[in-house]
Amino acid sequence: YVEIVAPIEDSPAWHAGIKEGDLITQIDGRPVQGLPIDEAIKRMRGEPGTRVTLTIARKDSPAPLRFTIARSEIVQKSVKAKMVEPGYAWLRIAQFQEPTVDDMAAKLQALYRDNPDMKGLVLDLRNDPGGLLPGAIGVSAAFLPQPEQLIVSTKGQLPDSNQQFYGRREFYAQRGADPLAGLPAGLKTVPMVVLVNGGSASASEIVAGALQDYKRATILGSQTFGKGTVQTLLPLSTGQLKLTEAKFYRVSGKSTQDRGVTP
């Protein structure tokens, strides 16, 4: 069957009540057991406004569940933030997109403007599937004391695959002003907790791993997904080939591929 690792936040499936760990057994009444994942995805996708019915097996449900979901274009808010109680902030990153670092910086500045004596911050990366690498570098750099600190590196069989990425502006903002330049100095020392789970993958694991390796934050939750590869899509006459060129490695030297980040 097709297992749901984590429903994308604010997506039609998320609003319908699809949960982490659900198993899709049928799509529009047609069994999916043994169906290639790409074919199952094709059957679920469609034009906005059309509907698809998913039959779900859920651990705590004795009978199959059926969800009829209206398809729509998924527009996700990358960053959310609020004060959960006086002195304590919650920063949520749902996915690492192109504007993530700018949005994060703007929300943090607004929080500090109204709450200059911040006592603690929770960075919520649960069910964050990852996204763009510059976003992960910028988020990590916002909280690490030194801009020259290594965030993550890649290692592969070819020389071009061996790279190191630091918390410097050129690695997270290649054009325009530095979005991290005006952040409060207190962000470098405020006590932090990072929340992760089995749906935290790729770029979110880079952030959690860097903050853990530098002992900048306490990681809480459950073991992350374990996606740490650099891949290139090669066109074939019958489809595409995903070629793994390198793996991501943490500051500690550990690879997140298949291992993830341990809270």
Side-chain angles (χ1 to χ4, degrees), residues 3-247:
E3 181 179 2
I4 304 297
V5 176
I8 296 176
E9 197 168 307
D10 293 326
S11 69
W14 187 83
H15 286 292
I18 301 292
K19 296 181 179 180
E20 175 187 346
D22 283 351
L23 299 177
I24 301 175
T25 60
Q26 295 181 11
I27 302 173
D28 286 332
R30 299 170 63 185
V32 302
Q33 190 170 22
L35 196 69
I37 185 68
D38 289 345
E39 181 61 29
I41 291 171
K42 282 183 182 179
R43 293 186 184 181
M44 285 185 279
R45 283 179 173 165
E47 290 297 318
T50 60
R51 295 180 178 272
V52 60
T53 299
L54 302 182
T55 303
I56 297 291
R58 184 174 290 171
K59 284 183 179 180
D60 57 0
S61 178
L65 305 173
R66 287 179 176 82
F67 297 86
T68 299
I69 303 171
R71 298 181 175 99
S72 67
E73 184 179 353
I74 299 174
V75 180
Q76 190 177 35
K77 290 183 179 179
S78 174
V79 183
K80 300 176 182 178
K82 64 180 180 180
M83 299 301 297
V84 291
E85 62 179 73
Y88 294 92
W90 171 79
L91 176 68
R92 165 69 175 158
I93 298 180
Q95 193 169 9
F96 290 87
Q97 303 169 349
E98 189 170 337
T100 295
V101 178
D102 295 85
D103 291 348
M104 176 198 67
K107 292 188 182 301
L108 287 174
Q109 286 173 336
L111 287 178
Y112 264 87
R113 192 161 48 243
D114 298 331
N115 304 271
D117 299 323
M118 195 78 71
K119 298 177 182 179
L121 185 144
V122 175
L123 175 59
D124 191 347
L125 300 178
R126 291 174 296 176
N127 294 329
D128 181 333
L132 301 179
L133 178 59
I137 296 172
V139 170
S140 302
F143 303 105
L144 291 175
Q146 301 298 327
E148 298 295 322
Q149 288 179 284
L150 177 69
I151 305 295
V152 70
S153 61
T154 59
K155 297 178 184 177
Q157 295 187 38
L158 300 177
D160 290 346
S161 301
N162 300 317
Q163 299 185 58
Q164 293 181 319
F165 300 89
Y166 296 86
R168 299 196 296 262
R169 177 187 173 280
E170 61 263 31
F171 289 101
Y172 58 81
Q174 295 184 351
R175 59 182 182 272
D178 184 352
L180 304 184
L183 287 179
L187 280 175
K188 303 296 186 181
T189 56
V190 64
M192 282 186 67
V193 162
V194 179
L195 301 181
V196 296
N197 64 5
S200 306
S202 190
S204 58
E205 293 176 298
I206 290 174
V207 175
L211 296 179
Q212 186 181 56
D213 288 346
Y214 284 114
K215 296 181 172 54
R216 176 64 188 87
T218 299
I219 314 299
L220 294 179
S222 55
Q223 192 78 13
T224 63
F225 183 80
K227 184 182 185 300
T229 57
V230 181
Q231 294 180 317
T232 297
L233 288 176
L234 302 177
L236 301 175
S237 59
T238 55
Q240 291 181 323
L241 172 69
K242 289 183 180 179
L243 177 65
T244 299
E245 296 181 336
K247 289 184 178 181

